[in-house]
Structures are given as C-alpha cells and as structure tokens.
C-alpha cells in the first residue's frame, strides 16, 4: 500500500515537472531582458506596444461576437435535439466534431473560394464582411467545445418535463428558452464561452489568411523577430487562459441548483 | 349527467403501427374528480397528455366547456398540470415558481404577489416563499407544484401520478390535501395513478384502463363491488377466484369442488357443463357460519398469518385457495393449519367473471 502511494507521488511529481519546468523556464527567460538582473522589461514593452493593445482588443471583440453567435446557434439547436430529435444526436455530435479533424487552413481556403468578391455572398469584398466571416470561422472552430458544454448542461436537467411545465403555464418558446432553459444551463454556456474565448485569443491560421489584425498573427510576428517579448507574450496568453478557467470555476458556484444536484 | 365540462370523444392515439389508446370516451362533470387507474402501458398517461395538448390524438376530439381544444397548443388551453417529477424550475424560488404562469399571463406584480401568498396559504407553506426547490423535501416540492398549477386559475387540473415519487406516509397525507384543495376550489380534475387505494380513496369516479381502453367507468363503490370485467375485478382490490362448473344453468347452480353453489340470475347465457370463474372479495367471506350468509363451502386451513389486530387465513377448497381476514379475538385462539373449516358467504356477493 505504502509503496503504491510512493509511486503515485513519483508519477505526480514527474507530470508536474513536465508541466511546470518549461513554464518556469519561460518565465525566467522572459525576465532576463535587462542584462545581469531580473526585470519585467519585456512585459512592459509588450503591454506598452500599441499593436499589442490593438490586436488584443480586436481579438477580444471577435471572441465576444463568436460567443454570441455560438450561443445563438448551439443553445437552441442542442435544446431542440434533446427535446424533439434525440435520434439525430449522434449525427450532430459527429458534425460538431468535424472542426477538430478538418484543419483550419482547409476551412479558411474553402471560405476564400466560396465567399470571394465574385461570389453571391461576397463576405471578402469588405472589411466588415471579412470580420464577419472570421467570426463565423471562429464559431465553427469553437463548435465542438460549445456544443459539448451546452449538451452536458442540458443533460443535468429534465429538459422535456421543464419545457412541458412551462408550456402548460402558458409560456411560448421564447420564454421557455430565455427563462427556463438558458438560466439552468448558464454555467455550461459560460464554460463553452470561456473555451471559445481561449481559442479565439490564440487563433492564428484563419486571422492570418483572412489578413485580419488579430492577436494570433501578432504573437507569431513578435515570436519571429524578437527574443524576450515572445516569452512574455506566451506567459500573458497563458495567464489569460488560466484566468478564463478560474472564472468558470468561480461562476459555477453561483449556478442554479436542482434537487438532483444540490451542491 | 349535466352538461359535461370535459368531454373526451372517440379518442385514439397511435405511435407508428402501435395503437396506445383506442376509442376512449369519457364525460367529466364540472368540479368532478376523476381518476384514470390502470397498470403501466395502459394508455392512461397518454390520454392525460392529449388533454394537456402534449400529444395530438390520431382521431377523436376533446371538448372543454363546450370548446373543441383538440388542436390547441398546450399554452393556449388554460389547463394546470402537476407532474410526477415535480418539474419545478430549479433556478426560480418557490414564489417565482408559483408566480411563473401569472407573470407569463402579464399580470401586475402586486397581483402576482398577492396570489402567490394566497397559494402558499392554501398549501400551508407560507414560510417557504424564498426557498429554492432543492431546499425542499419531495412532499413540499409537490405541494409547490400543485400551487403553481392552480395559481393561474386553470379550467382543468391534470395530475400525472403526482404521488408516485413520495414515501408512503407523505403520499397518504398529500392525497387527502389534494382532494380537499380540489373540493375547496371546485376545479375539475383528472388524476392518473396506478395505485388502486389512491384512486378509490379520493375519486368521485374512476376510469379503469387496460390496453388503451376504458374497461369500466364508475364510482369507487361500483368499481370495487360490481367490476364489469375480469380485468377490473382482478386489478382493483384483492380477489379470491374459484373455478366452478355449471351443473344446472336454468336453476343457476354451479359446482365448486363437489359442492353446489346457487347463483340465480348471474349465469347470463352459460350452459350446463360450462366452466366459470367465480370471484369473492376476502371481506365477503367468514370462517364458519354468519347470519345473512346463504352459502357454505368446506375446506381445510392451509395458512394462518397472525398480523396483530387481523388474522389472515387461507383455506384450501379442493384445487382452490380462498383468502380471508378475521379480527383477532383474545379469548379465541387462531385456527390451526390442517384442521377442517367451513367458510360462508352470501351468494349475492359472488361475482361471475366473464
């Protein structure tokens, strides 16, 4: 028994080392900009760079629109599938997994061919159209995470009975979704939203090929031309992602509770 | 019956090739409490769901207060419903749950608050307004669900096995409470259950269902004492079934284990030599002779179970076994297994099952 515990700790320590050593090394390297002393110079340069602020804000706005689009598509779709079309759930699950197996570069080339200035839907003919197309592309990339998060949330409530209880009390579909279903899967939606945020903030391929001033291409550009700043940026991106994950944990404490899931 | 408030006319429901409800007819008077009683899969919940609007009948129509509601959506029917699984909205407090239907109807906040308070008083939980469903027991949750269903003053109240998920003690108290609230409000109610005791104790009338059809509709007294079919007789209450052979159809005589029983006027159409199933409720049988009884059969004590105030005795009569209960008498010892015994009953209490 004791020997088992010992080896469990050894495996844990190896896993932790595999995770933390590169992270610590990156932090250490990012602070070595000033010769002979540790400093936050690289961070100051990165955070003070106008392009950092502009591209980061661009990606944040794109992420917000992506989350809104994702929620508008996924919540009603996942709800309807659970309520009325449970038999097509495996098909929908497969479709939502496709963005994981089809590389982003294939999707974006498809977009460029389909939505060029000569197409009936010329998204690429204007900046606004291209931005919209980027958001649509991001929503596609985030689909596997958003769908799974919402579907898992729906699994924790009795969708059919709650829907029927609301219907018999006079509620229409809009009221049912906004006042009964959405509040009860809010934490799941938020999980999906933060995962979407994390994906969008670091995404490079789509933004680069659609020539959008997003954070991903900026990261790549800095990485290719500077020494210490990319390490600082990597740590900042890491902190943002972990911040998102922590927010999910904090917000889940405020989730509506049910008799089946009291704590 | 006066003009029915709810009229279910020739309703049929099929799912693909499977017919779940077949030619179901029922008229319910205003303020009446009718139970649908039957085993799982008999179609009782499907009929209720058609009245609620969650299922559309394949044929037939449903009329409420003279208006055909067959094709109306559930949210247009002004019907209240209580579900087996409570179905309270987990994100809303008790008060918000009860006020949900009123808010949807666009009622002013002050009026909602007043109606919610009234409902909480009716279900005797006035202190629970700010609790969430997960903070309540099953019985409390079902009371809140009842209050939520009746708060918008629905024309009709539907109860879909509302007591099934509760423990026995709460079930008994809550069913009495449901009945008393229903009487107080005078709301026409349909109650679905598979528990015969529940149905017998609180209903004005019971529709016993089997295989998608109403086998018999009647008062609890009629259903229990004059079951129309073999299924009803077997499903409702405990029944002793004796196999007999008609010896003289004209005189109404039947032989049970070489002993003759006279059943004048009950053999309708049976011929001499036919085999019949005869049924007797345990409470209609006595051990030994009793005043008012006209028939006696001899047998042997097969089992004796001492249950305190009651002694349950099983008497073997040839190939049949008859179960009966006698009250405990501290001055007389219980019967002994193996000893000879006579049972007696009134032939009028004997049912011929068709």
């Amino acid at each position: 028994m004791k020997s088992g515990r010992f080896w469990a700790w050894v495996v844990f320590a190896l896993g932790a080392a595999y995770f933390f050593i590169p992270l610590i090394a990156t932090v250490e390297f990012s602070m070595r900009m000033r010769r002979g002393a540790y400093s936050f110079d690289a961070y100051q340069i990165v955070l003070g760079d106008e392009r950092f602020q502009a591209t980061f804000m661009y990606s944040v706005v794109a992420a917000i629109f992506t989350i809104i689009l994702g929620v508008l598509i996924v919540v009603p779709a996942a709800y309807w599938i659970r309520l009325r079309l449970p038999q097509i759930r495996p098909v929908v699950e497969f479709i939502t997994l496709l963005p994981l197996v089809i590389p982003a570069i294939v999707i974006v080339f498809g977009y460029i061919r389909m939505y060029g200035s000569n197409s009936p839907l010329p998204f690429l003919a204007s900046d606004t159209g291209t931005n919209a197309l980027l958001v649509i592309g991001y929503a596609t990339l985030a689909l596997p995470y958003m769908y799974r998060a919402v579907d898992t949330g729906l699994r924790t409530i009795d969708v059919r009975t709650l829907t029927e209880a609301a219907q018999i009390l006079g509620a229409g579909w809009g009221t049912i979704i906004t006042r009964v279903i959405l509040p009860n899967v809010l934490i799941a939606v938020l999980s999906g939203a933060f995962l979407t945020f994390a994906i969008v903030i670091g995404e490079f391929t789509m933004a680069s090929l659609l020539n959008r001033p997003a954070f991903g291409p900026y990261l790549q550009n800095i990485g290719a031309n500077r020494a210490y700043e990319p390490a600082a940026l990597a740590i900042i991106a890491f902190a943002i992602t972990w911040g998102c994950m922590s927010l999910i944990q904090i917000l889940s404490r405020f989730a509506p509770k049910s008799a089946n899931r009291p704590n | 019956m006066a003009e029915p408030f709810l009229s279910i006319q020739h309703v049929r429901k099929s799912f693909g090739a499977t017919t779940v409800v077949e030619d179901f007819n029922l008229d319910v008077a205003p303020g009446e409490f009718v139970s649908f009683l039957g085993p799982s899969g008999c179609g009782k919940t499907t009929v209720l769901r058609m009245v609620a609007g969650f299922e559309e009948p394949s044929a037939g129509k449903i009329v409420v207060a003279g208006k055909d509601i067959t094709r109306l959506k559930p949210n247009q029917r002004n019907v209240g419903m209580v579900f087996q699984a409570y179905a309270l909205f987990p994100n809303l407090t008790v008060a918000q749950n009860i006020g949900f239907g009123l808010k949807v109807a666009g009622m002013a906040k002050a009026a909602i608050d007043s109606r919610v308070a009234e409902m909480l008083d009716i279900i005797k939980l006035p202190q629970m307004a700010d609790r969430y469903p997960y903070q309540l027991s099953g019985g409390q949750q079902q009371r809140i669900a009842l209050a939520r269903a009746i708060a918008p003053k629905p024309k009709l109240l539907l109860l879909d096995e509302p007591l099934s998920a509760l423990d026995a003690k709460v079930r008994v108290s809550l069913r009495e409470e449901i009945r008393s609230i229903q009487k107080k409000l005078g709301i026409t109610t349909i109650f679905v259950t598979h528990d015969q005791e529940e149905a017998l104790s609180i209903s004005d009338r019971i529709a016993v269902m089997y295989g998608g059809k109403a086998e018999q509709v009647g008062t609890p007294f009629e259903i229990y004492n004059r079951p129309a079919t073999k299924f009803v007789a077997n499903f409702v209450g405990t029944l002793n079934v004796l196999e007999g052979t008609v010896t003289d159809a004209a005189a109404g005589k039947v032989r049970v284990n070489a002993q003759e029983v006279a059943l004048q006027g009950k053999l309708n159409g049976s011929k001499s030599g036919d085999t019949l199933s005869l049924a007797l409720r345990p409470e209609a049988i006595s051990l030994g002779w009793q005043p008012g009884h006209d028939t006696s059969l001899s047998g042997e004590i097969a089992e004796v179970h001492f249950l305190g105030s009651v002694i349950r005795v099983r008497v073997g009569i040839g190939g049949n076994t008859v179960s009966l209960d006698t009250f405990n008498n501290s001055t007389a010892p219980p019967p002994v297994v193996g000893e000879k015994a006579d049972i007696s009953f009134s032939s009028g209490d004997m049912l011929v099952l068709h």
Side-chain angles (χ1 to χ4, degrees):
Chain A
M1 191 67 191
K2 275 191 170 174
S3 145
R5 261 180 99 96
F6 170 77
W7 286 111
W9 277 108
V10 168
V11 172
F12 175 76
L14 283 173
Y18 182 77
F19 178 77
F20 280 110
I21 289 171
L23 196 65
I24 293 163
T26 309
V27 172
E28 198 264 352
F29 182 73
S30 72
M31 294 169 77
R32 279 220 247 154
M33 196 172 189
R34 197 178 297 173
R35 214 172 275 267
Y38 285 128
S39 72
F40 287 101
D41 289 356
Y43 292 89
Q44 274 173 349
I45 290 168
V46 165
L47 294 171
D49 185 353
E50 273 179 21
R51 283 181 304 154
F52 169 83
Q53 291 160 12
T55 56
F56 190 71
M57 277 318 292
Y58 179 91
S59 286
V60 167
V61 173
I64 291 167
F65 277 104
T66 306
I67 289 164
I68 293 169
L69 182 66
V71 170
L72 288 178
I73 294 171
V74 170
V75 173
Y79 165 65
W80 199 251
I81 288 159
R82 281 217 161 252
L83 187 68
R84 293 273 190 266
L85 302 163
Q87 68 276 17
I88 69 160
R89 243 183 93 219
V91 179
V92 175
E93 281 200 357
F94 174 74
I95 292 169
T96 59
L97 279 176
L98 286 179
L100 290 181
V101 287
I102 299 173
I105 197 162
V106 174
I107 298 172
V108 80
F109 269 122
Y111 283 170
I112 290 167
R113 281 187 68 88
M114 284 293 292
Y115 303 116
S117 45
N118 296 326
S119 100
L121 275 173
F123 274 110
L124 298 174
S126 66
D127 269 1
T128 315
T130 313
N131 290 339
L133 193 61
L134 184 68
V135 167
I136 293 167
Y138 282 163
T140 310
L141 287 184
L143 198 59
Y145 309 100
M146 186 58 110
Y147 181 81
R148 249 145 216 81
V150 172
D151 195 49
T152 306
L154 287 170
R155 203 177 299 161
T156 62
I157 58 171
D158 186 347
V159 170
R160 187 172 132 168
T161 314
L162 288 181
T163 301
E164 289 179 349
Q167 274 183 310
I168 206 78
L169 289 164
W173 290 116
T175 310
I176 293 170
I177 290 186
T178 54
R179 293 197 46 211
V180 176
I181 301 301
L182 197 55
N184 284 303
V185 295
L186 197 58
I187 295 310
V189 170
L190 282 174
S191 306
F194 286 125
L195 288 170
T196 304
F197 188 85
I199 290 165
V200 171
I201 289 297
E203 205 284 333
F204 167 74
T205 315
M206 284 194 168
S208 171
L209 289 169
L210 291 174
N211 196 25
R212 294 291 85 202
F215 191 55
Y218 169 74
L219 273 178
Q220 191 278 335
N221 188 30
I222 293 287
N225 300 305
R226 304 282 181 87
Y228 300 100
E229 287 88 338
L233 268 173
I235 295 302
I236 290 168
F238 180 82
I240 291 166
T241 312
W242 273 69
C244 287
M245 301 298 164
S246 310
L247 265 178
I248 297 172
Q249 289 296 320
I250 293 165
L251 286 170
S252 66
R253 291 183 190 172
F254 301 102
K257 294 170 178 69
S258 70
N260 302 331
R261 193 167 51 89
N263 294 307
Chain B
M1 185 192 288
E3 184 70 16
F5 186 74
L6 165 69
S7 181
I8 304 171
Q9 302 169 8
H10 304 291
V11 162
R12 184 170 61 81
K13 178 68 187 174
S14 304
F15 294 102
T18 315
T19 300
V20 185
V21 176
E22 233 178 305
D23 196 30
F24 186 88
N25 291 284
L26 181 72
D27 283 344
V28 182
E32 198 179 10
F33 192 113
V34 175
S35 293
F36 292 172
L37 174 67
S40 297
C42 71
K44 55 191 189 298
T45 295
T46 309
V47 175
L48 191 85
R49 289 177 62 79
M50 285 191 280
V51 176
F54 298 133
E55 306 287 351
E56 200 173 303
S58 308
K61 67 176 181 176
I62 297 165
V63 178
V64 173
K67 187 181 169 196
D68 185 349
I69 61 159
T70 318
R71 311 284 160 210
L72 279 186
K73 290 177 183 165
N75 57 357
Q76 298 167 335
R77 294 191 178 206
N78 192 17
V79 165
M81 186 158 171
V82 177
F83 299 82
Q84 184 181 343
Y86 322 135
L88 293 177
F89 306 127
N91 56 312
L92 303 182
T93 62
V94 164
Q96 289 167 333
N97 262 286
I98 297 173
F100 186 90
L102 307 171
K103 198 169 177 185
V104 167
M107 203 184 251
K109 194 182 174 303
I112 294 176
D113 291 346
S114 139
R115 181 78 178 146
V116 167
E118 190 188 334
M119 288 296 107
L120 284 168
D121 277 342
I122 285 181
I123 57 163
K124 298 178 191 131
L125 291 173
Q127 71 285 12
M128 299 285 180
D130 296 324
R131 301 256 181 111
Y132 280 90
Y134 77 94
Q135 295 171 312
L136 307 174
S137 69
Q140 289 170 331
Q141 287 194 59
Q142 203 55 299
R143 277 196 187 93
I144 304 297
L146 178 67
R148 182 181 66 175
I150 57 180
K153 299 183 178 165
K155 288 192 276 189
L156 195 61
L157 179 62
L158 309 176
L159 307 167
D160 185 8
E161 307 212 28
L163 309 173
S164 303
L166 305 172
D167 63 62
K169 215 169 177 179
V170 178
R171 234 148 70 181
V172 173
S173 69
L174 192 52
R175 81 180 182 214
E176 283 159 8
E177 211 171 318
I178 287 174
R179 180 57 163 156
S180 114
I181 291 170
Q182 184 270 338
K183 273 187 174 166
K184 194 149 98 186
L185 301 177
I187 186 167
T188 312
T189 303
I190 304 287
F191 179 81
V192 163
T193 182
H194 59 261
D195 184 325
Q196 42 160 310
E197 189 190 312
E198 238 165 62
L200 291 169
S201 64
I202 60 172
S203 315
D204 289 321
R205 282 192 302 150
I206 299 171
V208 183
M209 294 186 62
Y210 180 64
K213 287 182 181 165
E215 289 268 315
Q216 187 178 1
V217 181
T219 62
F221 184 84
E222 287 166 349
I223 296 284
Y224 188 81
N225 293 301
R226 290 193 284 280
T229 66
K230 201 169 181 174
F231 171 78
V232 176
N234 274 312
F235 189 74
V236 181
T238 311
L239 204 64
N240 294 298
V241 180
L242 303 162
E243 297 303 324
T245 311
V246 181
T247 50
D248 185 346
K253 290 192 170 166
V254 178
R255 192 174 59 231
V256 177
N257 187 37
Q259 301 172 69
E260 210 132 86
V261 179
L263 296 168
Q264 278 92 343
K266 287 195 172 182
L267 298 184
N268 19 327
S270 300
K271 300 186 295 294
S272 297
D274 283 358
T275 307
L276 288 179
S277 293
L278 307 168
L280 268 172
R281 297 282 182 204
E283 62 271 24
I285 311 169
S286 302
L287 206 53
W289 192 262
Q290 284 284 313
H293 287 179
D294 56 15
T295 309
S296 164
L297 292 171
S298 299
E300 193 175 278
I301 304 288
E303 283 173 43
V304 177
H305 299 282
F306 185 75
L307 306 174
S309 63
V310 166
I311 301 167
R312 185 153 297 158
V313 182
R314 288 168 69 80
V315 181
I317 298 168
N320 300 296
T321 306
V322 169
S323 183
L324 61 102
D325 291 342
T326 64
F327 284 113
N328 177 32
N329 179 352
S330 58
T331 58
V336 178
V337 173
E339 73 181 14
K340 299 283 177 205
D342 288 343
I343 60 161
S344 69
F345 51 91
S346 165
S347 59
D349 289 332
M350 189 162 250
L351 306 164
V352 179
L353 302 179
H354 296 285

